[in-house]
Amino acid sequence: MAQQDTAAPSTQRGFLDAYFSISARGSSVRQELVAGLTTFLAMVYSIIVVPNMLGAAGFEQGPVFVATCLIAAFGSLLMGLWARLPMAIGCAISLTAFTAFSLVLGQGLSIPVALGAIFLMGILFTLISVTGVRQWILDNLPSGIAHGTGIGIGLFLLLIATNGVGMVIKNDGAGLPVQLGEVTAFPVIMTVLGLAAIFGLERRKVPGGILMVIIAISILGLIFDPKVTWQGFFAMPSLTGEKGSLVGSMDLLGALNPVVLPTVLALVMTAVFDATGTIRAVAGQAGLINERGHIISGGKALTADSVSSLVAGAVGGAPAAVYIESAAGTAAGGKTGLTAVLVGVLFLLMIFLSPLSYLVPAYATAPALMYVGLLMLGNVTKLDFNDSIDALAGMLCAVFIVLTCNIVTGIMLGFVALVVGRLFAAEWRKLNLGTVIIAVALVTFYAGGWAI
């Protein structure tokens, strides 16, 4: 009888619950769907930004738009159905900028060669993932730097969100590099009010509070902001433009040119540490770190985003990675792969519903990103200041992630400070070989001038 009693609830919960371990992780189907929609709205801007960036380098924006949606759909569905984690994948903005402005415009590579470099990067990235090298990096990530990465990404999210709405802007004059923007501007007002509303709704534990704020501000934008306009509902997609199709147009032989290979390695190194740090931070935010400090299904998560870059080169898009905006979904309660599956399905729909993407302005999602950034600053409490070298190396990592707007740079400086600090403190016995190897590899990467 006891066995029947315990088995009955499992049967009643249904396939979705059993497959994604929804109840086991303390969530619900509704909560996962709300989280998925929240993540999607937080990262849907990518289908506008990525085609614009690549378009400036000569890519045809129509086919790139479809490719961007396909990459996000494939990666997110793979993450959700295989790794079963609430992390969404899309074309990485930093690597998109590098592809457009460095590879094509800067180095003068043709678009097929650039796509070949992305595909080759995906192959190497996947090999590093499936052979366990990325997991080894995670295992040798000191506690302070792991938490420092989370803090730094939180600060980075705050900077991205506030800059995107004009709250914090570039200072073109003398003094510090940034300054306060126009505080009475409609986007800034909506952002501040939206963030305060999220504070209140989350305090009251209102289900879907973050999503409600995003939708409400989008509606206000449509009513009061002339820049937010109804541009239709449906548009037929096409992967073929006036110059032909980008699918399968990559030039692998051109990418294997000795002149191009250092660029491929730079893409790989950046993706390894950038995306790995992001996955660790989002997993920590979602409470998906086990008692040994490992990410649940971490190996599959690390492989999912690397395989997505293979697809990116094949369909004519930019390198893929887990989006830090996934943390908006985990803050909304996402804990399982169902969150990522919904994101993937919605990106598939966006191939046909592209006009709708213009109805979600930056200031509608900025409050969610700022809220997540603030939550991630809570990693400060996890630093062990009894081990001041580890804790301060983590803080250095966090600060330089936001000061340089580069996750890898922050991680590199954190590793250097930790290793050198241990040596000067005569605590070299606390260092393991893996930590030293990673530190040397990162320093070599930067000293060689390969850093992006």
Side-chain angles (χ1 to χ4, degrees):
M1 283 296 293
Q3 290 181 344
Q4 292 177 351
D5 291 342
T6 56
S10 176
T11 304
Q12 294 170 2
R13 286 198 304 265
F15 171 76
L16 280 180
D17 192 301
Y19 185 82
F20 292 107
S21 303
I22 295 174
S23 296
R25 294 185 184 175
S27 186
S28 66
V29 172
R30 180 187 181 281
Q31 186 170 302
E32 294 298 307
L33 295 179
V34 168
L37 186 54
T38 302
T39 297
F40 171 76
L41 291 175
M43 63 181 285
V44 72
Y45 71 90
S46 64
I47 63 177
I48 299 171
V49 173
V50 171
N52 284 343
M53 281 187 180
L54 294 182
F59 288 73
E60 288 194 76
Q61 293 194 34
V64 171
F65 170 85
V66 178
T68 303
C69 291
L70 286 175
I71 293 163
F74 172 85
S76 299
L77 287 170
L78 182 63
M79 181 68 80
L81 293 172
W82 185 49
R84 305 182 194 181
L85 293 174
M87 302 176 191
I89 292 174
C91 293
I93 299 301
S94 60
L95 297 181
T96 299
F98 181 77
T99 301
F101 303 116
S102 181
L103 288 187
V104 180
L105 293 178
Q107 298 182 35
L109 300 184
S110 68
I111 290 174
V113 171
L115 292 176
I118 292 171
F119 188 81
L120 190 57
M121 165 259 187
I123 293 175
L124 295 175
F125 196 15
T126 302
L127 286 174
I128 288 172
S129 299
V130 299
T131 55
V133 174
R134 284 180 78 188
Q135 185 62 55
W136 176 81
I137 291 172
L138 271 177
D139 293 343
N140 285 280
L141 195 65
S143 174
I145 295 176
H147 296 313
T149 302
I151 298 166
I153 290 176
L155 291 168
F156 197 11
L157 276 178
L158 286 164
L159 180 60
I160 291 170
T162 52
N163 180 251
V165 300
M167 183 182 295
V168 174
I169 61 175
K170 179 181 179 182
N171 179 13
D172 293 321
L176 295 175
V178 296
Q179 65 181 20
L180 182 66
E182 182 58 59
V183 293
T184 58
F186 184 76
V188 176
I189 293 173
M190 287 293 97
T191 298
V192 174
L193 291 178
L195 181 60
I198 289 176
F199 286 170
L201 293 173
E202 290 299 304
R203 172 68 174 172
R204 294 174 57 192
K205 301 187 184 303
V206 175
I210 296 175
L211 178 59
M212 290 166 59
V213 169
I214 293 174
I215 294 173
I217 294 179
S218 296
I219 293 172
L220 290 173
L222 184 61
I223 297 172
F224 297 108
D225 187 352
K227 295 180 181 178
V228 181
T229 58
W230 173 260
Q231 299 188 26
F233 183 77
F234 179 84
M236 279 299 295
S238 175
L239 274 168
T240 303
E242 295 179 1
K243 301 176 184 177
S245 175
L246 290 173
V247 177
S249 66
M250 56 189 174
D251 181 359
L252 278 176
L253 289 178
L256 288 169
N257 188 308
V259 176
V260 181
L261 282 177
T263 298
V264 174
L265 293 176
L267 281 169
V268 172
M269 282 289 288
T270 302
V272 166
F273 284 94
D274 194 323
T276 304
T278 300
I279 289 173
R280 175 62 174 73
V282 174
Q285 175 71 17
L288 297 175
I289 307 293
N290 63 26
E291 63 279 357
R292 293 180 297 169
H294 295 166
I295 300 170
I296 296 172
S297 297
K300 292 181 178 180
L302 297 174
T303 303
D305 69 340
S306 61
V307 170
S308 299
S309 284
L310 278 170
V311 175
V315 301
V322 169
Y323 260 52
I324 188 57
E325 285 82 357
S326 300
T330 57
K335 296 180 182 298
T336 78
L338 185 56
T339 293
V341 167
L342 180 60
V343 174
V345 170
L346 291 173
F347 270 109
L348 280 178
L349 290 176
M350 285 310 299
I351 295 175
F352 301 94
L353 307 177
S354 58
L356 294 180
S357 63
Y358 295 93
L359 293 179
V360 184
Y363 53 81
T365 57
L369 297 182
M370 292 175 69
Y371 176 69
V372 171
L374 292 170
L375 288 181
M376 296 182 79
L377 298 187
N379 279 287
V380 171
T381 62
K382 300 175 183 178
L383 294 173
D384 180 12
F385 280 92
N386 290 320
D387 184 353
S388 61
I389 294 175
D390 183 71
L392 292 174
M395 290 299 292
L396 183 71
C397 169
V399 169
F400 274 90
I401 283 176
V402 69
L403 288 182
T404 63
C405 296
N406 191 306
I407 296 172
V408 185
T409 300
I411 292 174
M412 183 271 291
L413 291 173
F415 266 97
V416 170
L418 179 71
V419 172
V420 176
R422 292 287 194 213
L423 294 176
F424 272 88
E427 295 179 351
W428 57 270
R429 290 183 181 84
K430 291 185 178 181
L431 290 171
N432 62 51
L433 181 60
T435 300
V436 175
I437 290 174
I438 293 171
V440 171
L442 285 170
V443 169
T444 302
F445 178 55
Y446 273 79
W450 300 308
I452 295 175

